[in-house]
Amino acid sequence: MEQIIPFNKPFLTGKETSYIQDAVASGKISGNGKYTKLCHSFFESKYGFKKCLLTTSCTDALEMAAILINIQPGDEVIMPSYTFVSTANAFVLRGANIIFADSMNGNPNLDAESIEALITPKTKAIVPVHYAGIACDMDTIMALSSKYNLYVVEDAAQAIDSYYIGNDGVKKPLGGIGHLSAFSFHETKNIISGEGGMLVVNDAIFAQRAEIIWEKGTNRSAFFRGEVDKYGWVDVGSSFLPSEIVAAFLWAQLEHLEEIQNKRKAIWNQYWEGLQPLKEKGILKLPIIPNYATNNAHMFYVVCNSLEQRTALIEGLKNENIHAVFHYLSLHKSPFYEYKHDGRELSQSDFYSDTLVRLPMYYELQENDVKQIIQLF
Amino acid sequence: MEQIIPFNKPFLTGKETSYIQDAVASGKISGNGKYTKLCHSFFESKYGFKKCLLTTSCTDALEMAAILINIQPGDEVIMPSYTFVSTANAFVLRGANIIFADSMNGNPNLDAESIEALITPKTKAIVPVHYAGIACDMDTIMALSSKYNLYVVEDAAQAIDSYYIGNDGVKKPLGGIGHLSAFSFHETKNIISGEGGMLVVNDAIFAQRAEIIWEKGTNRSAFFRGEVDKYGWVDVGSSFLPSEIVAAFLWAQLEHLEEIQNKRKAIWNQYWEGLQPLKEKGILKLPIIPNYATNNAHMFYVVCNSLEQRTALIEGLKNENIHAVFHYLSLHKSPFYEYKHDGRELSQSDFYSDTLVRLPMYYELQENDVKQIIQLF
C-alpha cells in the first residue's frame, strides 16, 4: 500500500503526556491551575496581551467576547461571510443580526474598504477574521471602530504568532489589536490541545468582567486573591475554562513554538516556490501576503480558476493518496442564514467557497512529500 | 508535619495517561473520536439513555438543554435556589427568568410539592437538581410536566449511577427521567475528567437537533453518516464537544465505575454509622434518603443546627488538618439575582446555606482517616 499523506497530522513535542501526568499527580485537574497560569503568562509576556484566559474552544472565547461587549437582540455585527460557523454563532446566540461582508479580490480576508457602507446605528461590532493567519487591514478597521464607536473582536483562530504592521510602522501581534480576540488550539492549528481556545482582553475595561464570566459568573478569582471576603453569583457566565489536562498538553506545545513555526514556514516556502511556475502560467493563484501582514504558515492554500478545476485537483490528489481539502461555504448562503441575509451578492466569498483548496501542512510533512505533491499539479 | 486530609482528591484508575497516549498516537485528538464514542455507548447501554453527548462541562450540557427547549426572553424556569450558579446561568443566558423554589425540611432537594404554586403561563421548564446524587421526587415533577406541558431538565451533575424508584415500582437511573439531563465529570465528582460533562437526550424529538447544536450548528454528523450530501450551517450551536484527550481520560474512569462506587459507598456507610450517636443526641442531622431514592455516595454531608456551630466545626476540623467545606449560597439572595427575585422567603434554602457541611470523600480516603474524622466531632 502506498503511503497516505493526510491533510493534517497533530504533532507532539514529546512532553504532553508527562505534563498531564504531573497535573494529575498534583491532585488538581480542574481548570485554572498551574499549567493554565503558565500558558496565560506565556502569551501575556511573549505578545504583550493584557489578559489571557484559556477556554475550551475558540468558539467559547468568541462567546465570551459577545457577552462582554453586551450584544443584545437586534444588534448588528459585521464579519466576513467566508468564515467558520462559530464566528457567527457566538453572536447569533446573543441575538445579533449578522451583516456579512465580502472577501477581497485576491485575498479571502474581508474587504475592509467595504465595511463603512454596512455600518448602521444598530452596528455594535466588527469581527475581522485573519484567514490563514494573514492579517486583515487593521488600520482601516480600527479607524472605523473609533469613528463609529464600534467594538472590534479579532477572530484570531488561525493567527497565532502572526503580525500586523501598521501605517505607523509598528509591528503588532494579531489578537493584540482589537478590544478582544479569540485564538484556537484545535488539532488542525499550529499549536494544539485537541480542542481548546483562548480569549485575549486588550481593552482593560473588560478584564475584571472577563474573569467573572470565565468563572461561571462568580467572583471566585477575586476571592482567592483576597480582594473580596466571600464569593458568589455576580453576573452571567459559563464554564469556559479547560481542565488542567488540556492546559498541560498546551504548555508542552508552547515550549516548542519557535521550532514548530520554523518548520511550518519551511514547508510553506517550499510550496510557494514550487508552485510559482503554475501561478505564472495562470493555472492557479497563490496566497497574497499584503505589506501590512506576516505569514505564520498556518495554512498553504491555492485558488483555482473554477469549481470544476478544483474538484478535479482534489480528486487527482486523492487518487495519489494525498488529502487536500476545500474550506468554508459562504455563510450568507447557508440553509440557516440565507433567509436572514439582506440579499447582497458577495461574489468574492462565493468564489473562494468554490475555488480555494488547502494542501497538506503539518510538522512531520517531509520535503519529499511536498516535492511529490507539487509534481502532481 | 501531620498528614492533611483534603476535602477531595482526584482518583486515577491507572489507564488514563495510556489511553490519552493512544488517542494522540491515532492522530485524532479533536472531539467525537473513538473514546468519545466508547463513553457514549457505555452510558447508553448501561443506563438505557437514548442519546448521550459528551460536553466540556455540565454547564455546557445545561446550556445545550436551554437551547434545545428553545428558551426565549421572558420564559420562566423553576429550579431550587440551593444549587450551583450554572444551573441558573444556562437559562439566564437564553433570557429566562428564574423562579426559585425552596428546599425541603430535612432534604436540600427542591420541594416538589411547592412547585405547582409557582407555575404560570410563562413557565417553560422545571430543573430538578439531584443534590448529593439523591433523587428528587420525580413522579410529582413529571406529573406537573404532563399537566402543564412543561419540559423537565434534570441537573444530574452529582447523580451518576443513582436511581429513582417510581410509584410504579420501576427503578430508573437519574438523568434518564426528564426530557433532557446534564451530568458532570468535574474533578470533585465520582467519575472525573478534570472538567467535563454530558448531555443526555431522553425525548427522541431532541436527538437530531442536539447533535447539530453539539457540532456548532452544522449537520456534520449526518454528513459523515452519509445521510446528507454536504454539510453546512443549519442552526445555532457551539463547540460543546470535548477533545479526545478528555474523553480518553473519562473512559479509563468508566471502566472502573463499579469499583469506585463500591469504595465510596463503604466510606459513606462508615460516616453514616459512626455519626449516628451525634444524630441521636440532636447535635447534627444526617442525610435523609427517601424511599424513592438510592445513594451513589457522591457526597457525605452533615447539617448543623446553626451557622455558628458549622463555623466552629469547620474550624475545629481545619485545626486538625481536615478540610471540610460548606456548599451553596442561596441563589435568590446572590448579588446578581436578589433584585430579580420575587421576594418570597426560601427559608430551607437559606438554612442549608448556613448549616450544611461536606466531609472529605474520595476513593483513597482510608478507614482510619474516617475514624479519626468521626472522633473529632
Side-chain angles (χ1 to χ4, degrees):
Chain A
M1 198 188 76
E2 209 182 334
Q3 184 211 355
I4 290 174
I5 300 180
F7 167 62
N8 180 57
K9 191 177 166 198
F11 170 63
L12 291 189
T13 67
K15 286 286 193 71
E16 285 81 357
T17 47
S18 63
Y19 288 166
I20 289 171
Q21 272 171 318
D22 177 55
V24 162
S26 78
K28 160 75 177 170
I29 54 170
S30 60
N32 201 11
K34 166 180 147 188
Y35 286 102
T36 297
K37 289 175 174 67
L38 280 169
C39 294
H40 292 174
S41 299
F42 176 89
F43 283 103
E44 288 164 3
S45 72
K46 183 167 176 66
Y47 299 109
F49 298 151
K50 282 233 180 59
K51 185 177 185 68
C52 295
L53 292 168
L54 292 190
T55 56
T56 53
S57 63
C58 184
T59 304
D60 275 36
L62 289 165
E63 289 177 17
M64 285 187 72
I67 294 171
L68 282 166
I69 64 171
N70 200 24
I71 293 287
Q72 297 294 314
D75 286 349
E76 293 177 358
V77 176
I78 297 169
M79 64 179 63
S81 177
Y82 193 70
T83 186
F84 190 51
V85 288
S86 289
T87 318
N89 263 329
F91 297 89
V92 171
L93 276 170
R94 312 303 310 144
N97 293 327
I98 308 301
I99 308 301
F100 288 113
D102 206 357
S103 298
M104 287 183 273
N105 187 342
N107 182 334
N109 277 340
L110 93 173
D111 182 358
E113 300 299 332
S114 76
I115 294 174
E116 190 160 16
L118 304 176
I119 295 172
T120 76
K122 290 183 177 170
T123 308
K124 189 86 167 259
I126 304 169
V127 184
V129 181
H130 304 299
Y131 186 76
I134 296 165
C136 295
D137 176 0
M138 293 306 292
D139 276 341
T140 301
I141 290 167
M142 296 311 290
L144 290 170
S145 159
S146 297
K147 183 171 172 187
Y148 294 98
N149 200 20
L150 306 175
Y151 294 115
V152 173
V153 178
E154 293 177 75
D155 183 337
Q158 305 170 13
I160 190 171
D161 200 44
S162 199
Y163 293 83
Y164 174 79
I165 301 111
N167 292 333
D168 56 6
V170 177
K171 195 171 160 186
K172 297 169 193 153
L174 298 189
I177 304 167
H179 302 84
L180 298 161
S181 69
F183 284 91
S184 172
F185 308 116
H186 184 264
E187 70 170 17
T188 51
K189 302 303 187 291
N190 295 27
I191 294 291
I192 62 175
S193 63
E195 305 275 347
M198 180 172 73
L199 177 80
V200 172
V201 176
N202 295 311
D203 187 329
I205 63 162
F206 294 115
Q208 193 187 357
R209 193 171 178 227
E211 196 175 66
I212 287 169
I213 288 168
W214 189 63
E215 280 278 25
K216 306 169 187 74
T218 72
N219 51 357
R220 186 171 178 273
S221 295
F223 173 76
F224 281 113
R225 285 195 300 268
E227 296 165 13
V228 294
D229 64 357
K230 65 177 178 174
Y231 82 87
W233 190 24
V234 296
D235 205 334
V236 294
S238 182
S239 186
F240 288 111
L241 67 180
S243 81
E244 278 287 288
I245 300 168
V246 171
F249 192 105
L250 183 63
W251 176 243
Q253 295 265 316
L254 289 175
E255 287 188 324
H256 292 263
L257 173 67
E258 203 172 333
E259 170 195 342
I260 291 169
Q261 291 297 83
N262 288 340
K263 185 68 192 294
R264 293 184 75 106
K265 284 175 189 171
I267 296 167
W268 199 99
N269 288 332
Q270 196 189 344
Y271 273 129
W272 171 262
E273 283 158 25
L275 292 170
Q276 283 298 326
L278 292 172
K279 179 193 162 197
E280 282 155 22
K281 286 181 199 152
I283 293 169
L284 47 76
K285 296 185 184 72
L286 297 183
I288 291 173
I289 299 172
N291 289 334
Y292 55 68
T294 65
N295 172 31
N296 71 345
H298 167 59
M299 180 198 298
F300 195 90
Y301 68 82
V302 303
V303 179
C304 297
N305 293 311
S306 68
L307 175 59
E308 294 67 34
Q309 186 195 354
R310 184 180 73 177
T311 305
L313 173 60
I314 291 174
E315 199 59 32
L317 291 170
K318 194 176 169 191
N319 289 339
E320 303 291 333
N321 286 319
I322 292 157
H323 291 184
V325 292
F326 60 86
H327 212 180
Y328 309 130
L329 301 176
S330 289
L331 291 183
H332 73 287
K333 286 194 168 171
S334 66
F336 186 56
Y337 226 80
E338 60 178 331
Y339 300 104
K340 295 171 191 152
H341 178 63
D342 55 25
R344 279 173 300 116
E345 205 184 326
L346 303 174
S347 59
Q348 292 300 327
S349 176
D350 293 344
F351 176 70
Y352 294 110
S353 296
D354 282 350
T355 60
L356 187 148
V357 56
R358 296 174 289 164
L359 303 182
M361 166 62 89
Y362 49 88
Y363 188 94
E364 290 169 80
L365 190 65
Q366 300 300 308
E367 208 176 317
N368 275 337
D369 297 336
V370 178
K371 199 178 284 180
Q372 188 202 337
I373 294 169
I374 292 169
Q375 283 167 349
L376 287 167
F377 265 79
Chain B
M1 197 188 76
E2 207 180 338
Q3 184 211 355
I4 289 175
I5 301 180
F7 166 63
N8 180 57
K9 191 177 167 200
F11 170 63
L12 291 190
T13 67
K15 287 285 193 73
E16 285 82 357
T17 46
S18 61
Y19 288 166
I20 288 171
Q21 272 170 318
D22 177 53
V24 162
S26 78
K28 161 74 178 168
I29 56 171
S30 60
N32 201 12
K34 166 180 147 188
Y35 286 102
T36 298
K37 289 176 174 66
L38 280 169
C39 293
H40 290 174
S41 298
F42 176 90
F43 283 103
E44 288 165 3
S45 72
K46 182 167 174 72
Y47 299 110
F49 299 151
K50 282 232 180 62
K51 185 176 186 69
C52 295
L53 291 168
L54 292 191
T55 56
T56 53
S57 63
C58 184
T59 304
D60 274 36
L62 289 166
E63 288 176 18
M64 284 186 74
I67 294 171
L68 282 166
I69 65 172
N70 200 23
I71 292 288
Q72 296 295 313
D75 286 348
E76 292 177 358
V77 176
I78 298 169
M79 64 179 62
S81 177
Y82 193 72
T83 186
F84 190 51
V85 287
S86 289
T87 319
N89 263 329
F91 297 89
V92 171
L93 275 170
R94 312 302 311 144
N97 292 326
I98 308 300
I99 308 300
F100 288 113
D102 206 358
S103 298
M104 289 183 272
N105 187 342
N107 182 334
N109 278 337
L110 93 173
D111 183 358
E113 300 299 332
S114 76
I115 294 173
E116 191 160 17
L118 304 176
I119 295 171
T120 77
K122 290 182 177 171
T123 307
K124 188 86 167 259
I126 305 169
V127 184
V129 181
H130 305 299
Y131 187 77
I134 295 165
C136 295
D137 177 359
M138 293 305 292
D139 276 341
T140 300
I141 290 167
M142 295 311 290
L144 290 171
S145 159
S146 297
K147 184 173 172 186
Y148 294 98
N149 200 22
L150 306 175
Y151 292 115
V152 174
V153 178
E154 294 177 73
D155 183 337
Q158 306 172 11
I160 191 171
D161 200 45
S162 200
Y163 293 83
Y164 175 77
I165 301 110
N167 292 332
D168 57 7
V170 177
K171 194 172 162 185
K172 296 169 194 153
L174 298 189
I177 303 168
H179 301 84
L180 298 160
S181 68
F183 284 91
S184 171
F185 308 117
H186 184 264
E187 70 170 17
T188 51
K189 301 303 187 291
N190 294 27
I191 295 290
I192 63 175
S193 63
E195 305 275 346
M198 181 173 71
L199 177 80
V200 172
V201 176
N202 295 310
D203 187 328
I205 64 160
F206 294 114
Q208 193 188 353
R209 192 170 179 228
E211 197 175 66
I212 287 169
I213 289 169
W214 189 63
E215 281 277 26
K216 307 170 187 74
T218 72
N219 51 356
R220 187 171 178 273
S221 294
F223 173 77
F224 281 113
R225 284 195 302 267
E227 295 164 14
V228 293
D229 63 359
K230 63 178 180 176
Y231 82 86
W233 191 23
V234 296
D235 204 334
V236 294
S238 182
S239 185
F240 288 112
L241 67 179
S243 81
E244 278 287 287
I245 300 167
V246 172
F249 192 105
L250 183 63
W251 176 243
Q253 295 266 314
L254 288 175
E255 286 189 323
H256 292 263
L257 173 67
E258 202 171 334
E259 172 195 340
I260 291 169
Q261 291 297 85
N262 288 340
K263 184 70 192 295
R264 293 184 75 105
K265 284 175 188 170
I267 296 167
W268 200 99
N269 288 331
Q270 196 189 343
Y271 274 129
W272 171 262
E273 283 158 24
L275 292 170
Q276 282 298 324
L278 292 173
K279 178 194 163 193
E280 280 156 22
K281 286 180 198 152
I283 293 169
L284 48 76
K285 295 184 185 71
L286 297 183
I288 291 172
I289 298 172
N291 288 333
Y292 55 68
T294 65
N295 172 31
N296 72 344
H298 167 59
M299 180 199 296
F300 196 90
Y301 68 83
V302 303
V303 179
C304 297
N305 293 312
S306 68
L307 175 59
E308 295 68 32
Q309 185 194 355
R310 184 181 72 176
T311 305
L313 173 59
I314 291 174
E315 200 58 32
L317 290 170
K318 194 177 170 191
N319 290 339
E320 303 291 333
N321 287 320
I322 292 157
H323 291 186
V325 292
F326 59 86
H327 212 180
Y328 310 128
L329 300 176
S330 290
L331 291 184
H332 73 287
K333 287 194 168 170
S334 65
F336 185 57
Y337 226 81
E338 61 179 330
Y339 300 104
K340 296 171 189 151
H341 179 62
D342 55 25
R344 280 172 299 115
E345 205 184 325
L346 304 174
S347 59
Q348 292 301 325
S349 176
D350 293 343
F351 177 70
Y352 293 110
S353 296
D354 283 349
T355 60
L356 186 147
V357 56
R358 297 174 288 164
L359 303 182
M361 165 64 89
Y362 49 88
Y363 188 94
E364 289 167 81
L365 190 66
Q366 302 299 308
E367 207 176 317
N368 275 338
D369 297 334
V370 178
K371 200 179 281 178
Q372 187 202 338
I373 295 168
I374 292 169
Q375 282 167 351
L376 288 168
F377 266 79

